[in-house]
């Protein structure tokens, strides 16, 4: 019997197995030549912010040969599940980029290091106490808040000018009542004064309600949180409800949309204003048709002025990290005022640091930067940040209740009853 | 039996509607991939890009190592398909040709195992792979994909084996063929379309799989295409739509290509020429 040459299929399979084995041989080591290596998982995603972050890592590595930082690209999508699995498996990155409203479970679960004793005074004094509040759980500080974005009104400047309405400024914002009147004035002929993109109605409603003194979550002497829907909590939802269902000054079709979905309507003149996060300006610059004039306006103010809730982006250190001091030293470098400015510009957001906020690059009126920085002092930690059971309350109670209320299916009384009665039943399970 | 013209027209109409339904996402994806940002933000979307551009593709390649990720996906998906089929075929043969309590129990387990959600498995799986030192490695991901595809592959192949009449194997035995010869010369050729279909299923499943790859692979050089695609999505679901569409469009092509290569084998009549006239 003569031996035949190996068939193509066999060669292909052998090559495949070999390639896999070779691919599997490369894995990141924790140390190289006795040097410390820290893995930094960044969630920067826009080209400018990725470049800025990578540049800063390179600068650090060039000036700190004994502590090498390895840049690992993460993504906002599914970051919670990915981090949870990594923490549980003891394979988490040393330095974790996330958002303040996602930290509670990791902090209470013992996965993040308490930075209270590790943070340099320069950093703690540069970032305002309210921002630190958003990363404080119990007695510990579990991250450094470094970027934040207020919700602003992106307006069709030509429409505003043409209508003759008073244009608000951070010094003289619209009240919620005035905002409602303006949107009425800007509506008609199939056009709307405003389009509310409320795919995520809960965070938008809760965060904007701070301006009217709404808190919704109240802590008793025993430290337990309960839901109470009071007068201050009614202002924002009622305004939106009336705009959609009574005044017809807000588009009913965008209530289930994300922010990006409303931009075509804004560019086409269908909506005069869209309430969006500050970073959406990047998309507007990129997508707006030539000649489209737009401007950034502060969100309406209420009894508590321009206050609104935000959930800053954060940098934390994993509890399992064996080199916490070095990790914090890297954070201190990354968040030097000039570096914070670079990161903020790259992400089209506001830095939390006072000195970075004072940088002229962020004070320019171009693209509404100056309006945004003027709002920075009014930003507060998102009200629901530290409430145990908030995610379930949000998904099972608040989201459907607010969606039904905004669409006109239920009234304010029923909204209150569901948020309080059903909501407190959910929260009680987490606070026994 | 002759089909009436009206019935035939109805069949074609239904088929056309089904094709449109299936093709729409791909056509729309391709259209989006070639549109400039200003056109993407138009109030009235157009089927055909008015001002087609390759800028989205350029940006996608500039921002992310797409080729590297595509190679990783290709390696893991191909290896998963080969290994899953190699393991499942003999098992399927046994399950199809032998009856008994054990086979029934295994079949039951295969069906039940399909009901486990990813999230339930991921942490124990992560710990097992960590102990095997297979976290953050493509062989580790291949192992997971094989384990994930195996029950369904087994189920599919069992059906294909049952479709091969046992009488053919008996006839071969009567003609003097041994067990192995019968399997190689009689059963295997008739199973080829089924094996191809199963391999395709395993390949596409592994090619598209996102969650395990996201959790198990940390080093940027190891990451697969679905994981890389999420990099075009920012906080609160804001997406860089043009480059995302361009990258996603490129990511669908290999699957289509593999299907185009294999589909002839799948659609080939299963038992053509098996029984002499």
């Amino acid at each position: 019997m003569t031996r035949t040459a190996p068939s193509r299929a066999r060669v292909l399979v052998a090559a495949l197995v070999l390639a896999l084995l070779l691919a599997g041989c490369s894995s990141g080591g924790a140390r190289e030549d006795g040097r410390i290596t820290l893995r930094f998982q960044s969630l920067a995603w826009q080209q400018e912010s990725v470049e800025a972050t990578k540049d800063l890592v390179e600068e650090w590595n060039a000036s700190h040969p004994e502590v090498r930082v390895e840049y690992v690209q993460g993504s906002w999508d599914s970051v919670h599940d990915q981090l949870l699995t990594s923490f549980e498996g003891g394979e988490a990155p040393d330095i974790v980029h996330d958002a303040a409203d996602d930290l509670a479970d990791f902090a209470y679960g013992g996965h993040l290091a308490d930075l209270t004793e590790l943070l340099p005074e320069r950093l703690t004094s540069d970032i305002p106490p309210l921002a630190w509040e958003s990363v404080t759980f119990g007695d510990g500080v579990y991250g450094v808040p470094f970027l934040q974005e207020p919700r602003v009104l992106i307006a069709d400047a030509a429409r505003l000018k043409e209508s003759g309405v008073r244009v608000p400024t951070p010094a003289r914002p619209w009240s919620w009542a005035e905002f409602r009147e303006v949107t009425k004035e800007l509506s008609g002929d199939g056009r709307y004064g405003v389009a509310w993109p409320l795919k995520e109605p809960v965070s938008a409603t809760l965060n904007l309600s701070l301006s009217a003194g709404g808190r919704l979550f109240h802590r008793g002497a025993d430290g337990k949180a309960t839901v109470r829907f009071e007068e201050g909590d009614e202002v924002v939802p009622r305004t939106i409800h009336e705009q959609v269902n009574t005044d017809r000054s807000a588009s009913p079709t965008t209530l289930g949309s994300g922010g990006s979905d409303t931009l075509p309507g804004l560019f086409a003149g269908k909506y005069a204003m869209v309430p969006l996060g500050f970073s959406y300006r990047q998309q507007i610059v990129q997508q707006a048709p030539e000649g489209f004039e737009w401007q950034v306006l502060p969100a309406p103010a209420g009894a508590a002025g321009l206050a609104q809730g935000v959930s800053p982006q954060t940098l934390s250190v994993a509890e399992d990290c064996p080199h916490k001091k070095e990790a914090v030293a890297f954070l201190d470098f990354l968040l030097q005022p000039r570096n914070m400015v670079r990161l903020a510009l790259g992400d089209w957001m506001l830095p939390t640091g006072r000195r970075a906020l004072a940088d002229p690059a962020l004070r320019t009126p171009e693209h509404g930067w100056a309006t945004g920085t003027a709002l920075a002092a009014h930003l507060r930690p998102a009200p629901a940040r530290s409430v145990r059971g908030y995610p379930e309350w949000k998904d099972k109670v608040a989201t459907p209740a607010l969606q039904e209320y905004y669409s006109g299916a239920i009234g304010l009384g029923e909204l209150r009853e569901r948020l309080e009665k059903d909501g407190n039943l959910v929260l009680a399970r987490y606070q026994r | 039996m002759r089909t009436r013209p009206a019935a035939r027209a109805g069949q074609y109409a239904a088929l056309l509607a089904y094709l449109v339904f299936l093709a729409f996402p791909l056509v729309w994806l391709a259209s989006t991939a070639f549109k400039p940002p200003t056109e993407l933000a138009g109030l009235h979307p157009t089927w055909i890009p008015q001002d087609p551009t390759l800028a989205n593709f350029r940006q996608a390649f500039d921002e992310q190592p797409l080729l590297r990720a595509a190679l990783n996906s290709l390696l893991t998906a191909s290896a998963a398909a080969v290994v899953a089929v190699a393991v499942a075929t003999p098992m399927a043969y046994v399950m199809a040709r032998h009856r008994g309590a054990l086979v029934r129990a295994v079949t039951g387990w295969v069906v039940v195992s399909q009901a486990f959600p990813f999230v339930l498995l991921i942490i124990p799986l992560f710990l097992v792979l960590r102990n095997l030192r297979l976290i953050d490695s493509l062989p580790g991901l291949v192992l997971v994909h094989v384990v994930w595809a195996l029950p369904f592959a087994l189920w599919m192949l069992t059906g294909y084996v049952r479709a091969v009449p046992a009488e053919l194997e008996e006839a071969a035995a009567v003609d003097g063929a041994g067990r192995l010869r019968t399997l190689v010369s009689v059963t295997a050729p008739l199973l080829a379309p089924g094996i191809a279909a199963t391999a395709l299923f395993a390949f596409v499943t592994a090619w598209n799989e996102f969650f395990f790859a996201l959790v198990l692979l940390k080093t940027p050089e190891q990451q697969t295409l679905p994981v890389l695609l999420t990099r075009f999505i920012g906080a609160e679901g804001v997406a860089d739509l043009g480059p995302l569409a361009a990258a996603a469009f490129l990511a669908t092509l290999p699957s289509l290509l593999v299907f185009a290569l294999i589909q002839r084998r799948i659609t080939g009549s299963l038992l053509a020429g098996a029984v002499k006239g």
Side-chain angles (χ1 to χ4, degrees):
Chain A
M1 201 176 98
T2 54
R3 287 185 63 189
T4 54
S7 69
R8 267 187 309 171
R10 265 186 241 168
V11 170
L12 196 69
V13 170
L16 199 66
V17 170
L18 185 67
L20 271 166
L21 287 170
L22 288 172
C25 287
S26 60
S27 66
R31 284 166 179 274
E32 282 174 18
D33 315 328
R35 289 185 313 171
I36 291 170
T37 300
L38 298 170
R39 290 177 58 251
F40 164 39
Q41 179 172 290
S42 164
L43 300 181
W45 71 284
Q46 302 199 65
Q47 198 169 6
E48 299 132 296
S49 59
V50 171
E51 277 170 16
T53 312
K54 280 183 173 173
D55 287 351
L56 289 170
V57 168
E58 276 175 33
E59 283 174 31
W60 166 272
N61 287 337
S63 55
H64 298 77
E66 73 290 355
V67 181
R68 192 174 159 276
V69 171
E70 196 178 89
Y71 179 95
V72 178
Q73 182 68 62
S75 59
W76 284 104
D77 207 36
S78 308
V79 66
H80 185 86
D81 293 342
Q82 187 241 335
L83 282 177
L84 182 65
T85 315
S86 302
F87 282 132
E88 293 291 346
E91 293 277 346
D94 299 293
I95 298 158
V96 175
H97 180 182
D98 203 350
D101 61 357
D102 195 39
L103 295 185
D105 286 347
F106 300 140
Y108 289 123
H111 298 306
L112 297 176
D114 178 3
L115 304 177
T116 312
E117 302 299 323
L118 296 167
L119 291 166
E121 202 277 331
R122 182 205 70 75
L123 199 55
T124 49
S125 61
D126 187 39
I127 294 171
L130 278 170
W132 285 115
E133 211 177 285
S134 68
V135 290
T136 303
F137 301 93
D139 295 329
V141 173
Y142 292 94
V144 182
F146 72 111
L147 290 178
Q148 55 191 354
E149 63 171 331
R151 207 170 289 266
V152 292
L153 297 170
I154 305 286
D156 180 337
R159 281 274 296 279
L160 288 191
K161 207 182 291 179
E162 180 188 307
S163 69
V165 298
R166 181 180 75 81
V167 178
T169 62
R172 275 195 67 216
W174 285 326
S175 67
W176 283 99
E178 196 180 353
F179 172 58
R180 194 178 153 189
E181 287 307 311
V182 167
T183 55
K184 260 197 266 187
E185 218 164 307
L186 290 165
S187 301
D189 300 330
R191 303 199 299 179
Y192 296 97
V194 66
W196 285 95
L198 292 175
K199 194 176 177 179
E200 294 284 342
V202 183
S203 63
T205 307
L206 258 58
N207 288 334
L208 285 172
S209 287
L210 285 187
S211 67
R215 281 172 52 203
L216 202 66
F217 296 99
H218 300 262
R219 285 201 184 272
D222 56 0
K224 289 182 180 176
T226 51
V227 179
R228 281 206 310 274
F229 190 72
E230 296 174 335
E231 205 177 331
D233 299 298
E234 289 178 14
V235 176
V236 175
R238 199 177 50 230
T239 303
I240 298 171
H241 177 274
E242 298 298 312
Q243 285 175 321
V244 174
N245 299 289
T246 308
D247 308 340
R248 305 276 187 259
S249 60
S251 166
T253 55
T254 62
L255 290 176
S257 303
S260 305
D261 304 328
T262 59
L263 294 183
L266 177 74
F267 299 149
K270 198 174 174 187
Y271 319 127
M273 286 180 283
V274 184
L276 291 170
F278 196 51
S279 63
Y280 273 88
R281 295 166 306 134
Q282 190 262 352
Q283 283 199 33
I284 293 165
V285 168
Q286 197 183 46
Q287 296 176 5
E290 214 171 315
F292 179 78
E293 286 179 63
W294 58 280
Q295 65 189 114
V296 176
L297 310 176
L306 283 165
Q308 61 169 287
V310 288
S311 178
Q313 288 188 24
T314 56
L315 292 168
S316 305
V317 177
E319 177 61 30
D320 287 347
C321 172
H323 308 288
K324 294 186 182 69
K325 255 169 62 180
E326 289 80 0
V328 171
F330 171 69
L331 293 189
D332 185 33
F333 164 82
L334 196 69
L335 302 179
Q336 294 287 332
R338 66 185 176 85
N339 295 343
M340 228 194 236
V341 171
R342 284 161 75 179
L343 294 171
L345 288 169
D347 253 335
W348 291 71
M349 287 189 177
L350 297 178
T352 52
R354 292 189 184 94
R355 287 170 61 196
L357 268 170
D359 193 282
L362 302 177
R363 295 281 168 176
T364 170
E366 196 188 13
H367 301 326
W369 278 108
T371 305
T373 45
L375 298 174
H378 303 279
L379 303 180
R380 307 278 179 271
R385 179 193 56 88
S386 59
V387 175
R388 306 300 302 267
Y390 168 75
E392 188 184 340
W393 174 84
K394 184 181 82 158
D395 292 341
K396 291 185 180 170
V397 178
T399 299
L402 282 168
Q403 281 173 339
E404 286 177 54
Y405 175 65
Y406 289 145
S407 69
I410 61 172
L412 197 66
E414 190 170 343
L415 173 70
R416 174 184 292 106
E417 192 183 347
R418 280 167 64 172
L419 291 179
E420 289 183 355
K421 197 173 149 199
D422 298 355
N424 284 323
L425 283 174
V426 170
L427 296 192
R429 276 195 291 108
Y430 287 83
Q431 303 181 106
R432 284 180 184 134
Chain B
M1 200 180 89
R2 289 186 57 199
T3 314
R4 286 201 207 118
R8 175 60 56 91
Q11 284 172 351
Y12 280 125
L15 188 64
L16 189 68
Y18 185 58
L19 275 176
V20 167
F21 175 74
L22 287 181
F24 173 77
L26 189 64
V27 171
W28 192 248
L29 184 67
S31 169
T32 305
F34 290 96
K35 285 177 181 173
T38 47
E39 211 173 311
L40 285 171
L43 188 60
H44 304 292
T46 51
W47 279 101
I48 312 287
Q50 304 299 295
D51 188 14
T53 175
L54 290 173
N56 292 328
F57 292 90
R58 270 196 299 273
Q59 193 183 334
F61 277 100
D62 284 348
E63 286 182 21
Q64 303 297 344
L66 288 176
L67 285 177
R68 172 84 214 197
L71 181 68
N72 291 340
S73 283
L74 190 65
L75 283 169
T76 50
S78 307
V82 169
V83 176
V85 165
V87 173
T89 305
M91 285 171 73
Y93 186 83
V94 171
M95 284 171 67
R97 289 286 183 257
H98 300 277
R99 309 269 168 188
L102 183 64
V103 169
R104 273 200 302 277
V106 170
T107 309
W109 174 246
V110 165
V111 174
V112 168
S113 71
Q114 292 295 296
F116 290 136
F118 276 22
V119 176
L120 197 72
L121 298 171
I122 191 69
I123 289 176
L125 201 59
F126 190 93
L127 294 171
V128 169
L129 287 173
R130 193 186 58 173
N131 293 336
L132 294 172
R133 296 188 177 280
L134 285 173
I135 291 287
D136 199 22
S137 74
L138 295 183
L141 187 64
V142 169
L143 187 66
V144 172
H145 285 163
V146 169
V147 170
W148 192 250
L150 208 52
F152 198 75
L154 198 55
W155 205 7
M156 273 175 87
L157 279 167
T158 304
Y160 284 116
V161 175
R162 286 206 181 113
V164 177
E167 291 79 359
L168 286 174
E169 292 172 9
E170 288 160 10
V174 168
D175 288 344
R179 192 87 170 122
L180 189 65
R181 178 73 193 271
T182 303
L183 286 176
V184 172
S185 304
V186 178
T187 315
L190 296 175
L191 266 185
I195 289 173
T198 308
L200 178 68
F201 154 79
F203 179 90
V204 171
T205 303
W207 177 268
N208 292 332
E209 199 284 318
F210 164 72
F211 190 56
F212 289 139
L214 172 81
V215 168
L216 299 177
L217 303 174
K218 297 191 295 285
T219 311
E221 291 75 25
Q222 304 271 22
Q223 289 181 328
T224 56
L225 212 43
V227 175
L228 218 68
L229 291 181
T230 63
R231 307 246 187 99
F232 296 102
I233 300 169
E236 292 187 25
V238 179
D240 206 350
L241 197 57
L244 173 62
F249 177 63
L250 291 175
T252 58
L253 295 181
S255 272
L256 292 174
L257 196 67
V258 168
F259 188 79
L261 290 173
I262 287 184
Q263 63 100 22
R264 201 164 43 88
R265 308 225 45 183
I266 296 171
T267 52
S269 66
L270 186 63
L271 296 173
V275 183
K276 290 177 188 169

